[in-house]
Amino acid sequence: MYEKIKNIVYTHYISVPICIVICIIACIWFYADRAGNIDTTGIQRATDEIRNAQQYNQRAVEDNRRVRTAIERSTDVNEQIETRINRIDELNQRTEETITNSQEHIRAARENAINAKRIIGEGERILRNADERSQKNQDATKEQ
C-alpha cells in the first residue's frame, strides 16, 4: 500500500508543477495579448517614407538618364560645330589665298596695261613719224 501511495503522490507532484507551469504560461499569454497593442504607426510611416524614397530615387534615375542623353546629344552637336568651324577656317584661308592671288593678278594686269599704254604711245609716235615721212616723201615726189 505504501507503494500505491507513493505512486499517487509521486504522480501528483509531477502533475502539480506541470499544471502550475501551464497556468503561468496561460496568464503570460493572455497578458501579452492584452498588452500586445503595439503602436505600429511608426513602422507604417517608415514604410511610407521608404516608398517615397524609392519613387524619388526612380525619378532621379530617369532624370539622370535624360541628362546623360542630353549631354551625349550636346557632345554630338559640339563635334558637328567644331567640324563646321574647321571647314569655315579652311574656306577662309582659301579665300585669303584667292584674294592674294587676285591682287597679284590685278598688279600684273596693271603693269600689262601700263606697258600696253606705253606700247600704244610708241606705236602712235611711230605712226606719226611714218605719216610725216610719207608726207615729206609725197611732197618731195610732187616737187620733182
Side-chain angles (χ1 to χ4, degrees), residues 49-100:
E49 289 298 321
I50 288 173
R51 278 193 212 117
N52 290 338
Q54 287 172 343
Q55 289 175 355
Y56 290 136
N57 189 26
Q58 186 63 31
R59 288 180 196 154
V61 168
E62 291 172 6
D63 289 343
N64 286 340
R65 286 182 188 149
R66 284 188 212 117
V67 167
R68 185 181 320 124
T69 303
I71 288 171
E72 290 171 356
R73 287 180 186 164
S74 70
T75 302
D76 292 341
V77 168
N78 285 342
E79 288 175 0
Q80 291 173 357
I81 290 171
E82 281 184 35
T83 303
R84 289 178 183 164
I85 288 172
N86 290 338
R87 287 181 187 167
I88 289 171
D89 285 343
E90 290 174 9
L91 292 175
N92 284 341
Q93 288 175 355
R94 288 181 186 171
T95 303
E96 288 174 359
E97 290 172 3
T98 304
I99 289 171
T100 304

Side-chain angles (χ1 to χ4, degrees), residues 8-127:
I8 292 174
V9 171
Y10 183 70
T11 57
H12 285 287
Y13 277 117
I14 291 177
S15 62
V16 170
I18 290 176
C19 287
I20 292 172
V21 169
I22 290 176
C23 287
I24 291 172
I25 290 174
C27 289
I28 291 173
W29 184 285
F30 288 124
Y31 177 75
D33 192 34
R34 280 190 192 172
N37 294 333
I38 299 172
D39 186 18
T40 59
T41 57
I43 294 171
Q44 290 172 351
R45 286 183 193 150
T47 304
D48 291 340
E49 289 298 321
I50 288 173
R51 278 193 212 117
N52 290 338
Q54 287 172 343
Q55 289 175 355
Y56 290 136
N57 189 26
Q58 186 63 31
R59 288 180 196 154
V61 168
E62 291 172 6
D63 289 343
N64 286 340
R65 286 182 188 149
R66 284 188 212 117
V67 167
R68 185 181 320 124
T69 303
I71 288 171
E72 290 171 356
R73 287 180 186 164
S74 70
T75 302
D76 292 341
V77 168
N78 285 342
E79 288 175 0
Q80 291 173 357
I81 290 171
E82 281 184 35
T83 303
R84 289 178 183 164
I85 288 172
N86 290 338
R87 287 181 187 167
I88 289 171
D89 285 343
E90 290 174 9
L91 292 175
N92 284 341
Q93 288 175 355
R94 288 181 186 171
T95 303
E96 288 174 359
E97 290 172 3
T98 304
I99 289 171
T100 304
N101 288 339
S102 298
Q103 288 173 344
E104 290 174 6
H105 289 303
I106 289 170
R107 275 189 226 114
R110 282 184 185 160
E111 289 176 10
N112 289 338
I114 291 170
N115 288 337
K117 187 177 180 182
R118 186 181 47 80
I119 291 171
I120 290 172
E122 286 178 15
E124 286 176 349
R125 188 181 50 81
I126 291 171
L127 282 174

